Amino acid sequence: MIEIPDDHPRAESLRIRHKVQKGFEDKVVATAGLFAHGRGEAFDYIIGEKTCPPAIEAIKAALAMIKLAKHPVFSINGNIAALAPKEIVEFAKMSGMKMEINLFYRSEERIQAIKKYLEEAGANEILGTGPEWATIPELSSQRRLVDPNGILKADVVLVPLEDGDRTEALRKIGKVVITIDLNPLSRTAQWSNITIVDNFVRTIKLFIKLWPEIEKLSESKLKEIVNSFDNKLNLSKMIEYSINYLKDIAKQGIYIEEVLNLGYKIKV
Ligand code: PTJ
């Protein structure tokens, strides 16, 4: 893979893309995961590739929900394992979440490849690797196979970069679902209890940063944060944020370097 020069205006984005590409070569990421990543990049552009204020609100509600949970489970797919394995393991350890591999494009080869990535990142216990399986009957995709000690008995499930079917099925069997999805219009975003419209790479770092602050709050304060969070309203705020962001660019004839911090000027 080619080396990305530090002074490349899109260096960070390209480095992240290369992680997905490497994950694909290592059988961690599914072919469709490459398309999913490209879609995510496009949605990230229209929020300025930054974590927006409504997403911070959703992150705090998510952390409060995880802290209040009895059996919180972090569901791992190929994309997130490739994007931030160290951060996933670090957050799971600090928050006490169990990690479970659960794939849409399921194969034993991919499960083992993802397990290896997580173990190399320091994971000790990884669920969703068999030999025992339970089934979510409401779901017909491969994702119906879950670990009896993980998603099956979880009260709260964190499912970043999802396909909508599972979120809907998990809600129907009474689970609280938290997702991280750059597309506020996706079925997952609409079906989840808490949707964080942000890039997984940024959110997982904020999870780690904000957890100590959330962890020390009283139960009543945590409940207050969760109860005052309205997912539909938060999604509306995110959509409005994108609209205003794009309107500002259009209205002011803003310079591209002001938007993306490039070193040259092109009048739009
Ligand atoms: O590893 P598997 O087999 O479980 O498959 C995983 C994928 C992601 C391929 C599968 O779940 C899938 O097909 O998902 P979708 O339906 O393409 O949805 C992925 C969603 O994640 C889309 O709405 C993207 O915009 C969004 N997305 C992509 N990259 C990121 C993201 N959201 C947050 N952070 C990202 N880095």
Side-chain angles (χ1 to χ4, degrees), residues 112-177:
Q112 290 309 322
I114 294 169
K115 184 169 177 259
K116 187 162 169 261
Y117 260 40
L118 295 174
E119 281 172 349
E120 281 170 4
N124 307 319
E125 191 194 13
I126 305 161
L127 301 176
T129 59
E132 283 176 31
W133 299 104
T135 304
I136 301 177
E138 285 77 2
L139 197 52
S140 52
S141 79
Q142 298 271 42
R143 279 191 155 144
R144 71 185 177 280
L145 291 177
V146 295
D147 196 301
N149 294 312
I151 291 174
L152 186 74
K153 73 173 194 197
D155 47 356
V156 172
V157 194
L158 173 61
V159 289
L161 269 88
E162 241 313 80
D163 65 298
D165 277 12
R166 182 167 62 140
T167 305
E168 195 177 330
L170 290 174
R171 287 293 306 271
K172 281 184 181 157
I173 58 170
K175 314 282 184 197
V176 169
V177 179

Side-chain angles (χ1 to χ4, degrees), residues 151-244:
I151 291 174
L152 186 74
K153 73 173 194 197
D155 47 356
V156 172
V157 194
L158 173 61
V159 289
L161 269 88
E162 241 313 80
D163 65 298
D165 277 12
R166 182 167 62 140
T167 305
E168 195 177 330
L170 290 174
R171 287 293 306 271
K172 281 184 181 157
I173 58 170
K175 314 282 184 197
V176 169
V177 179
I178 302 169
T179 195
I180 303 162
D181 189 336
L182 278 159
N183 178 3
L185 308 173
S186 74
R187 289 181 63 248
T188 304
Q190 301 287 329
W191 265 94
S192 293
N193 298 80
I194 300 176
T195 304
I196 301 159
V197 182
D198 191 29
N199 197 319
F200 178 76
V201 175
R202 292 192 298 268
T203 300
I204 190 72
K205 287 187 183 137
L206 285 168
F207 271 20
I208 292 166
K209 189 174 166 205
L210 297 175
W211 181 257
E213 191 182 298
I214 294 287
E215 199 185 22
K216 57 178 187 246
L217 297 177
S218 66
E219 195 174 322
S220 62
K221 183 66 194 158
L222 292 168
K223 285 184 177 159
E224 193 187 311
I225 295 174
V226 167
N227 293 335
S228 63
F229 182 79
D230 179 335
N231 204 45
K232 292 273 173 250
L233 181 65
N234 196 270
L235 285 171
S236 300
K237 286 189 203 166
M238 275 306 309
I239 293 167
E240 226 168 273
Y241 185 95
S242 296
I243 293 169
N244 290 334

Side-chain angles (χ1 to χ4, degrees), residues 20-31:
V20 179
Q21 204 177 322
K22 168 88 169 56
F24 177 69
E25 286 161 10
D26 291 343
K27 314 282 181 210
V28 164
V29 173
T31 312

